[in-house]
Amino acid sequence: MIPIKPSTINLTVDDIRGHFIQGNFLGHRAPTHLVTLENTLSGVIMPIEDVREISEFTRNMGAQVHMDGSRLWNAATTDKELREYAGLVDSLSLCLSKGMGCPVGALLVGSRQFIDRARHFRKAFGGGWRQAGILAAAGLYAIEHVWPTMPNTHMQAKRLAQGLESLGYVLALPVHTNMVMLDTTKSTGVSTEVLSQALRPKGIILGAVYEESYLRMVLHHQINDECIDIILAVANELAAK
C-alpha cells in the first residue's frame, strides 16, 4: 500500500501516474492492482472530472478503482450525481452513520461477481448478521429523509465558516460540504480552545483538535440555524473583549 499526498487540494491523475507501479521489478516492488480514492475527504469534494481521469488512466493500466465513499452522500446530493460517481469506479463503500445518522451500517456496491465474493469473505470472517432488517430500515429512512437535508447543512457550514473568517479565524481547507476545518496554528486573537470553553455552557461542545493543527467542526441534520447563531454570537463577544 502506498499512501499518496495530493499535490493540490485533492488527488489528480498526475498524482496517481507518478506513483503507479507497472511490473514487479524482479520481485522487489509489488505492481499496482488497485487505486483507492476517498470522497469526500475532510469535507472537500473530489470533482467528478478528476475521478473520471483517474478512473480512465487506472483502467487503461489494467488496474481497478475503489472509492471510500463514507461521506459520498455529501458530495453527491442527488441520485444522478451518486450514479455518476459510482459508474466511474469498480467498487464503492457508503457509510450509513457518518452524516446519515444511522446507529450503524454501511453499503458495499459493485458487480454481482464482486458482491458474491465479498459475501463469501464476510461469512468466512464471521460477519454474517441474521437480524439485519432493523438496520436496513434505519438506512432506508436516512436515504429518504436525511440525505435530502444535506444541501441545507452545507449552507449552514458555509455561513459558520464565513462568520468565523470575518473574526480572524483561518480556515485550513475550503468548505465544500458539512465540515469547517480551522487552522489552530495561526493566531486569531481568540484561540479555538477559548472559543470551545465559552461555548460549553451554551450546550455546544466542539471536538478535540484534529491532527494536532486542525479543529474540525462537523455539522449534521440535527444542527439548526440557532446553533450557528450561538457559535457566531459567542465568537463575536470574545473578539470584542
Side-chain angles (χ1 to χ4, degrees):
M1 180 181 293
I2 303 175
I4 302 175
K5 185 176 182 179
S7 55
T8 61
I9 198 166
N10 61 262
L11 282 174
T12 66
V13 69
D14 291 333
D15 297 318
I16 302 298
R17 187 182 289 113
H19 291 82
F20 198 95
I21 300 173
Q22 281 186 289
N24 64 7
F25 291 88
L26 300 178
H28 295 294
R29 299 177 69 185
T32 302
H33 290 294
L34 179 69
V35 172
T36 301
L37 309 174
E38 185 172 356
N39 198 14
T40 65
L41 180 60
S42 297
V44 176
I45 296 174
M46 177 179 284
I48 191 74
E49 295 79 10
D50 287 324
V51 177
R52 181 176 292 108
E53 290 180 355
I54 291 172
S55 178
E56 289 176 356
F57 168 78
T58 302
R59 287 169 169 174
N60 286 339
M61 298 295 284
Q64 294 186 323
V65 183
H66 172 76
M67 179 174 285
D68 176 350
S70 295
R71 298 184 186 273
L72 187 61
W73 307 105
N74 293 97
T77 54
T78 65
D79 288 343
K80 181 181 178 181
E81 292 175 331
L82 195 61
R83 288 177 182 273
E84 190 172 6
Y85 273 112
L88 295 174
V89 298
D90 298 286
S91 58
L92 166 69
S93 59
L94 294 158
C95 185
L96 292 172
S97 58
K98 292 180 179 178
M100 294 289 274
C102 293
V104 66
L107 304 174
L108 182 64
V109 182
S111 67
R112 172 70 66 181
Q113 182 180 10
F114 174 81
I115 295 301
D116 286 344
R117 186 170 172 80
R119 285 174 172 161
H120 167 77
F121 281 111
R122 182 183 67 178
K123 189 72 172 178
F125 287 100
W129 197 325
R130 297 180 185 278
Q131 295 81 16
I134 191 168
L135 295 178
L140 288 173
Y141 181 90
I143 292 171
E144 293 173 359
H145 298 279
V146 178
W147 187 29
T149 69
M150 287 188 176
N152 181 65
T153 301
H154 299 167
M155 287 191 294
Q156 289 178 324
K158 287 180 173 64
R159 183 165 75 89
L160 175 60
Q162 290 167 357
L164 292 173
E165 272 194 304
S166 70
L167 297 173
Y169 289 92
V170 178
L171 295 179
L173 294 169
V175 178
H176 289 175
T177 55
N178 65 324
M179 292 190 190
V180 179
M181 304 283 283
L182 298 180
D183 190 334
T184 61
T185 66
K186 297 182 179 179
S187 175
T188 62
V190 178
S191 70
T192 52
E193 182 178 354
V194 171
L195 176 62
S196 178
Q197 291 175 351
L199 286 170
R200 191 173 291 271
K202 306 285 186 181
I204 298 175
I205 300 175
L206 298 184
V209 172
Y210 182 68
E211 292 186 356
E212 298 183 356
S213 58
Y214 296 160
L215 179 69
R216 188 175 75 163
M217 306 170 74
V218 183
L219 281 67
H220 52 81
H221 70 286
Q222 292 174 308
I223 301 294
N224 55 29
D225 291 330
E226 182 183 2
C227 181
I228 307 300
D229 293 337
I230 292 172
I231 295 174
L232 294 178
V234 170
N236 268 290
E237 292 174 4
L238 292 173
K241 291 182 179 180

